[in-house]
Structures are given as C-alpha cells and as structure tokens.
Amino acid sequence: MSQFSPKFLEELQTYDPQLYGTASGVVDMAYAPGALDTKSKLLIAVALDALSGSQGGVASLSARARAAGASEEEIKEAVRMAYYISGMKVIQAAAGAAN
C-alpha cells in the first residue's frame, strides 16, 4: 500500500482485491513524481477534501502535508481556495435574486 493511501482503502484490500488494486494504482499515479511536488499535491488534496466536506480527510491530509513541509499558512490558503470556489457557486445562484 502507498504511503498516501487513505486508511479506508486497507479494508477494501480484503473485501475486493481487484478494486483495491485499481484504486491503489490511482493513488500511486496521483502522487507519483511529476511536475508538482508532493507538498503541492497534498495541499490540493486538502482543498478538495474540504470542498467535499470530509473533515477526517482534511485532518489526515493536513498532517501529511505538514510532514511534507507545508506550513500552517499554506494549509490555510489551500482551505481558503476551496471556500472561495464553493462560495462562488452560492454567489452565482444568489445573483438570480436580482432578476
């Protein structure tokens, strides 16, 4: 299992090894060395989990981001980006009230 795999993925390994293999392969691909460094990838994951409402995921990914060298300010900014993106949907919909 990848160091970046979520803990719940372990349960899938026993229940459905084939799906586990596919899912863990995606995790490995997402965190593979590339144009973005590990810290940046983890900060993106923090923002996406915040956007999806996964409090446990945000906590776990934030800890991993810190271990990869992310500062508290970087984590805060990632979460603020998620808030900005999700909040714009509300503003866009609310603009309909002006009609």
Side-chain angles (χ1 to χ4, degrees), residues 3-80:
Q3 67 176 356
F4 299 106
S5 295
K7 291 182 182 181
F8 61 81
L9 197 54
E10 289 180 44
E11 297 171 15
L12 188 60
Q13 186 173 14
T14 303
Y15 181 73
D16 189 340
Q18 185 176 1
L19 182 56
Y20 166 80
T22 300
S24 62
V26 171
V27 172
D28 292 341
M29 178 187 63
Y31 284 102
L36 295 174
D37 63 8
T38 300
K39 179 178 79 170
S40 296
K41 291 178 181 191
L42 286 163
L43 290 168
I44 291 168
V46 167
L48 291 170
D49 262 15
L51 189 59
S52 71
S54 177
Q55 186 175 8
V58 170
S60 175
L61 288 164
S62 293
R64 290 178 181 187
R66 284 183 198 96
S71 68
E72 292 306 308
E73 284 304 311
E74 289 172 314
I75 293 168
K76 288 176 188 177
E77 286 186 22
V79 172
R80 289 173 187 160

